[in-house]
Amino acid sequence: MKILITPKSFGNYKDKTYPLLYDKGYEIIENNLGRTMTEDEIIERARSGVVGIIVGIDPLSERVLERCADLKAISKYGVGMDNIDLKAAERLGIRVKNAVGSNNISVAELAVALMFEAARHVSVLSQTVKQGGWDRVRGVELTGKTLAVIGCGQIGREVAIRGKGLAMKVVVYDPYFNDKEFLAKHDMMQCETLSQALAVADVISLHLPLTPETKHMINASTLELMKPSAILINTSRGELVDEESLYTALKNKRIAFAAQDVFSKEPPAPGEKLLTLDNFILTPHAGAYTNEANEKMALYSTRNLIEMLTS
Ligand code: NAD
């Protein structure tokens, strides 16, 4: 019985996780490529004898799942499951679980960091000084501004709480969120529609899964609803935003700034035009890349896998 482990950073937590797997008699196959695996590389390693996969962002498509003959369980090292064909997994009787609550604090903190970057341009100012300059870029204050949190799950809630901590007004939009107590406790307002939230917001932060319903939720028409001073933060998934429309909106100063940790194609293609804009920044999908989150992701995903394989 073998387990394939694909995430690169998982290796830092071997001491705490491998003994749990060895105890149950599993043999471990590591991703020795030092990068995200391709479909064929996964199939090559998991086509027979692999009962479980601990997966990062590597593609577990229908094609892959159909070829992994002994696969019983997939444990996500993280939260977003858009790289796993959940329908195919269900059809093939493969159990799937994600590491809920492992990285919400880290991603929320990066979202706040990106908000400050968009408001105060810290990295640009520092870079200017390092290059011998002393020019300033005028910023804006966040205090008193309205933060719209789109998607009020594990991460969105933490961002919303931090927004209140920064003395911002906070509105949330999430049609599936129903925790009135949370909203009352933190003095937040729930918007009935996405349009309402976008229209009142100075900062918009996206915290939703990528689904057919949410793909390109930010597009030419929804960008049109935003204030010209609006800042858009996306730490969720690149495909939530129609990047062509975002480019046009930023270039024409239809909105002020966008800061993302995710992109439709990661890493972006050389010459990607959004990266040429001064009012756009992108970090390399680093939201969950902290000591604390990585350790919890490793432990939770290992425990989830064992639980799925043994219960
Ligand atoms: P979660 O499941 O706890 O919360 C998602 C929320 O989105 C839920 O409350 C759900 O009701 C809401 N939602 C779903 N469809 C919606 C819609 N159409 N409109 C408004 N709200 C909707 O997930 P989470 O842990 O908060 O993570 C959110 C996303 O962040 C993940 O799906 C993942 O894509 C991304 N993520 C990114 C990183 C990173 O490193 N940048 C790390 C972890 C997660």
Side-chain angles (χ1 to χ4, degrees):
M1 291 192 303
K2 292 182 262 184
I3 305 291
L4 172 65
I5 300 179
T6 75
K8 285 173 287 174
S9 53
F10 193 98
N12 298 325
Y13 306 96
K14 280 181 185 179
D15 291 355
K16 291 188 176 162
T17 53
Y18 280 23
L20 303 174
L21 294 165
Y22 291 142
D23 263 9
K24 299 283 177 195
Y26 298 116
E27 188 187 319
I28 293 169
I29 304 176
E30 295 177 342
N31 169 3
N32 50 6
L33 302 165
R35 55 165 169 76
T36 303
M37 297 171 89
T38 64
E39 290 192 358
D40 287 333
E41 287 163 350
I42 299 171
I43 294 169
E44 197 182 300
R45 288 159 181 80
R47 66 157 57 92
S48 120
V50 167
V51 292
I53 301 183
I54 295 179
V55 72
I57 53 170
D58 324 69
L60 292 183
S61 62
E62 182 167 36
R63 174 174 172 267
V64 173
L65 299 184
E66 279 177 344
R67 283 162 182 73
C68 297
D70 301 312
L71 189 60
K72 305 270 180 307
I74 298 165
S75 186
K76 171 77 188 195
Y77 175 77
V79 180
M81 299 212 276
D82 44 284
N83 60 316
I84 306 167
D85 188 328
L86 296 174
K87 279 206 183 111
E90 192 179 356
R91 178 173 63 75
L92 295 163
I94 300 167
R95 299 177 74 180
V96 184
K97 206 165 175 185
N98 60 353
V100 173
S102 56
N103 56 25
N104 52 334
I105 302 293
S106 292
V107 180
E109 288 185 358
L110 185 73
V112 174
L114 292 176
M115 265 184 231
F116 274 112
E117 178 65 31
R120 301 306 302 270
H121 313 289
V122 180
S123 64
V124 177
L125 295 172
S126 162
Q127 198 57 32
T128 305
V129 175
K130 284 188 174 175
Q131 287 167 352
W134 198 248
D135 297 330
R136 295 172 295 185
V137 182
R138 193 194 304 270
V140 292
E141 291 182 350
L142 294 177
T143 295
K145 299 283 165 54
T146 298
L147 166 66
V149 173
I150 313 298
C152 201
Q154 296 283 329
I155 300 170
R157 262 175 269 189
E158 295 298 333
V159 172
I161 290 168
R162 280 155 184 76
K164 290 301 290 188
L166 294 171
M168 299 178 82
K169 294 175 199 128
V170 176
V171 301
V172 307
Y173 169 69
D174 184 334
Y176 311 104
F177 179 75
N178 203 9
D179 190 345
K180 303 284 178 227
E181 217 174 288
F182 174 87
L183 295 172
K185 180 177 169 200
H186 296 288
D187 185 27
M188 295 171 189
M189 202 190 91
Q190 185 161 21
C191 293
E192 292 294 318
T193 63
L194 176 65
S195 312
Q196 262 175 17
L198 299 182
V200 296
D202 299 293
V203 180
I204 295 141
S205 197
L206 306 179
H207 302 289
L208 330 133
L210 173 65
T211 65
E213 181 199 10
T214 60
K215 187 175 179 190
H216 289 184
M217 169 184 250
I218 302 300
N219 53 41
S221 20
T222 48
L223 283 159
E224 201 53 46
L225 302 169
M226 298 178 194
K227 296 181 184 179
S229 55
I231 291 169
L232 175 68
I233 309 292
N234 182 9
T235 55
S236 288
R237 285 293 181 265
E239 293 95 325
L240 295 179
V241 176
D242 171 7
E243 287 163 0
E244 192 61 42
S245 303
L246 180 65
Y247 175 79
T248 308
L250 289 169
K251 190 155 177 53
N252 298 336
K253 305 280 189 308
R254 180 58 206 83
I255 68 167
F257 204 97
Q260 303 201 159
D261 183 45
V262 287
F263 210 66
S264 57
K265 183 173 179 298
E266 297 179 0
E272 166 56 50
K273 57 186 182 177
L274 269 166
L275 295 175
T276 64
L277 299 176
D278 288 340
N279 53 353
F280 178 81
I281 57 163
L282 178 63
T283 50
H285 206 136
Y289 199 59
T290 63
N291 294 338
E292 293 81 359
N294 281 183
E295 181 167 345
K296 280 188 266 179
M297 286 153 65
L299 278 172
Y300 294 8
S301 59
T302 304
R303 286 187 201 135
N304 285 343
L305 186 71
I306 292 172
E307 197 255 323
M308 287 187 284
L309 289 173
T310 56
S311 64

